[in-house]
Amino acid sequence: MIIQKVKTIAEYVRRSTVASAKLKEVQQQMGQAQLRLKQDVATRWNSTYYMLQRFLDVKEPLVSTLALVNPQLPALNLNEWDVVQEACHILKPFEEVTVEMSSERFVTGSKAILMARGLQRIVANHQRNPSPNEAIEGMVNCLAADLTKRFGGVERVAVLAEATLLDPRFKKYAFVNERYAEGAVARVVEAMQLAASSPARTAVAEAEGASRSPQREPVPQVWADFEERVTNLRPGIQNPITEAMLEMRGFLSEQLTPRTADPLDWWRVRETVYKNLSTVMKTRLCIVATSVPSERIFSKAGQIVTDRRRRLSPAKVRQLVFLNANIS
């Protein structure tokens, strides 16, 4: 198995001081950056991709080093090198998605549908243009099956669909199925109605209205019938349904913001325009929770508690980990 060969070579070079020193020497002679080999870890999502990519980056110095240091080590043939290169090309979009969705500083919930559909399209393109190598073809088919299994119904996930709809960069254009987009619109409008008609919100709005406008004069009898018939047609606190629909229609009619823009900046400016919609947005436009922060803390703990610092007390370790994770 190619991956097993790569792991064996990476483990040998990383553990052998002679091989590591020789690799750095050969890289320096060839005028290349001095890069260490990487090894995959079961708990890191993209570690196999990083291992294979680094293998390609140091291909020529590595081949020379192994020939000089340990010729008996099982090396990759030309066909296997081609497989590694093609595998990295296929796995790169998955690495890009993982990095983007693992961000803790930007809104990521609204990107989930687009990212899943983007990966499915990329893998489908590889299936339409199959590789002559059976190993690569098998990997592509496996990726396609897993994507369908995990993300086939991603547009039906209410919180992701509503977050996508409320992102001014995407709105309804991120959906492949129009039915799911309309379902998200209906749910958001319903949530806006509840927000507009909540007792606390109504009391505040009435208080604000009373403070801003003089007391309304009694309606003359000649206008009473007309006022009764049109009251429910006026947008505002009296009719949350109309108000919610008008806000949603206005929001959807605005132009999309650039993909690289911050959607929260857009909402800060429009918050006074779409009052009820912004209230719903605050509970939908979120960051997806991942295991990346906890994995980083575990990695930091492993760097703090070493062979030379094994006598640290548990309390001291907790303090150091806390400071390390929270002070940049």
Side-chain angles (χ1 to χ4, degrees):
M1 189 177 180
I2 298 175
I3 292 180
Q4 189 57 47
K5 277 188 178 182
V6 174
K7 290 176 66 174
T8 302
I9 295 172
E11 183 178 1
Y12 168 76
V13 175
R14 288 173 62 88
R15 289 187 176 184
S16 172
T17 55
V18 175
S20 298
K22 192 63 178 178
L23 178 61
K24 289 182 180 179
E25 180 184 343
V26 175
Q27 287 174 333
Q28 189 173 10
Q29 291 175 354
M30 292 185 175
Q32 297 184 7
Q34 297 181 7
L35 303 175
R36 293 187 62 194
L37 291 180
K38 294 184 177 181
Q39 196 163 14
D40 66 341
V41 182
T43 56
R44 293 188 62 195
W45 301 337
N46 291 324
S47 59
T48 301
Y49 165 76
Y50 293 138
M51 179 182 68
L52 296 176
Q53 186 60 54
R54 179 55 57 87
F55 225 67
L56 289 174
D57 294 339
V58 300
K59 177 182 176 180
E60 294 180 4
L62 180 62
V63 172
S64 301
T65 299
L66 294 178
L68 295 171
V69 175
N70 191 349
Q72 288 77 29
L73 202 66
L76 274 64
N77 56 42
L78 293 178
N79 181 59
E80 289 173 335
W81 278 108
D82 291 338
V83 170
V84 170
Q85 185 170 7
E86 195 169 354
C88 287
H89 175 69
I90 294 171
L91 293 175
K92 184 173 177 57
F94 289 85
E95 188 269 343
E96 294 171 345
V97 168
T98 301
V99 171
E100 189 154 357
M101 292 301 293
S102 299
S103 172
E104 300 177 80
R105 298 179 180 273
F106 306 100
V107 171
T108 56
S110 57
K111 299 178 183 179
I113 291 176
L114 282 166
M115 294 290 184
R117 295 305 184 216
L119 288 178
Q120 287 179 317
R121 281 192 291 270
I122 291 172
V123 173
N125 288 335
H126 286 299
Q127 285 184 310
R128 284 192 291 269
N129 302 285
S131 170
N133 190 288
E134 293 183 2
I136 294 297
E137 187 177 356
M139 183 183 76
V140 169
N141 292 334
C142 182
L143 289 172
D146 272 0
L147 285 172
T148 301
K149 177 182 177 181
R150 296 172 184 270
F151 303 111
V154 67
E155 293 184 6
R156 294 197 294 268
V157 180
V159 65
L160 297 180
E162 293 166 21
T164 304
L165 176 71
L166 293 173
D167 194 316
R169 300 171 296 176
F170 311 133
K171 300 181 184 178
K172 295 169 64 175
Y173 299 97
F175 293 83
V176 175
N177 193 317
E178 182 69 19
R179 181 164 60 92
Y180 297 135
E182 294 299 333
V185 171
R187 291 192 300 272
V188 171
V189 169
E190 183 179 358
M192 291 166 61
Q193 296 171 24
L194 294 175
S197 60
S198 62
R201 182 74 177 270
T202 303
V204 171
E206 289 177 350
E208 289 179 352
S211 63
R212 292 176 185 173
S213 59
Q215 187 174 3
R216 298 178 64 182
E217 297 180 358
V219 179
Q221 292 184 4
V222 69
W223 292 107
D225 178 65
F226 175 77
E227 288 290 335
E228 290 179 2
R229 285 187 286 114
V230 302
T231 295
N232 291 333
L233 300 178
R234 294 173 182 162
I237 299 172
Q238 299 89 344
N239 192 346
I241 299 177
T242 304
E243 187 177 10
M245 293 177 65
L246 287 175
E247 281 195 30
M248 178 58 74
R249 191 178 300 125
F251 168 71
L252 293 177
S253 65
E254 293 211 31
Q255 291 184 347
L256 298 180
T257 59
R259 180 184 59 81
T260 55
D262 187 348
L264 299 182
D265 288 340
W266 188 93
W267 275 108
R268 289 189 190 98
V269 176
R270 299 296 200 284
E271 186 173 8
T272 55
V273 180
Y274 306 110
K275 295 181 179 179
N276 296 320
L277 194 56
S278 64
T279 301
V280 178
M281 177 275 301
K282 292 174 184 178
T283 62
R284 304 299 196 278
L285 211 55
C286 57
I287 297 174
V288 176
T290 68
S291 63
V292 172
S294 59
E295 290 176 5
R296 288 173 181 162
I297 291 176
F298 277 112
S299 298
K300 291 294 183 182
Q303 295 172 3
I304 292 171
V305 182
T306 62
D307 290 339
R308 294 186 178 183
R309 305 179 73 186
R310 62 175 59 186
R311 297 187 65 183
L312 289 171
S313 66
K316 183 66 69 176
V317 171
R318 283 195 296 270
Q319 293 173 357
L320 292 173
V321 169
F322 177 82
L323 293 174
N324 205 306
N326 291 279
I327 298 179
S328 56

